[in-house]
Amino acid sequence: GSVRILGTPPLPYLSGFPETNVRLYAVDPDSGRRGVVFRSLEAARLLPVLAARERAVNELFAAMFPEAASRSFSVGNAAGWHAGRAAADLAVLDTRRAVDAGNR
């Protein structure tokens, strides 16, 4: 494997490692659309594998939930951080009944 950032030389720790990956190539019979699925990635360095896995998960999520909105916020103080964490803890992310903050 070789990892580079926009035309720079290969990065020392992230490049020059043995790598094996298994890919499945497919063609949709209805639309003729072509695609590739990475079934596995074996490498001697953990960081490139994690980066590839994150990308695969993000792409699959986008394909499965095209109307989902991705939002990101910056927190400039501890009070905002704690308020955000408390709100996230109360968020309902599935179809089970909502969590009642008073009955935790």
Side-chain angles (χ1 to χ4, degrees):
S2 179
V3 178
R4 299 170 185 257
I5 299 174
L6 298 175
T8 63
L11 299 172
Y13 175 78
L14 300 176
S15 296
F17 55 86
E19 172 186 5
T20 302
N21 58 59
V22 176
R23 302 174 194 181
L24 302 175
Y25 295 91
V27 177
D28 184 297
D30 297 327
S31 68
R33 187 173 154 196
R34 298 176 180 274
V36 60
V37 175
F38 287 86
R39 291 298 304 154
S40 70
L41 175 61
E42 309 294 329
R45 299 275 191 255
L46 180 60
L47 192 58
V49 174
L50 293 176
R53 188 70 193 136
E54 178 187 20
R55 180 177 177 191
V57 168
N58 290 341
E59 289 173 357
L60 180 60
F61 183 86
M64 292 177 69
F65 305 101
E67 290 152 22
S70 176
R71 295 185 183 109
S72 138
F73 300 94
S74 296
V75 175
N77 61 33
W81 171 260
H82 294 297
R85 291 292 302 241
D89 288 343
L90 294 174
V92 176
L93 301 177
D94 61 15
T95 58
R96 296 181 291 176
R97 68 177 180 80
V99 175
D100 182 2
N103 295 329
R104 285 186 95 193

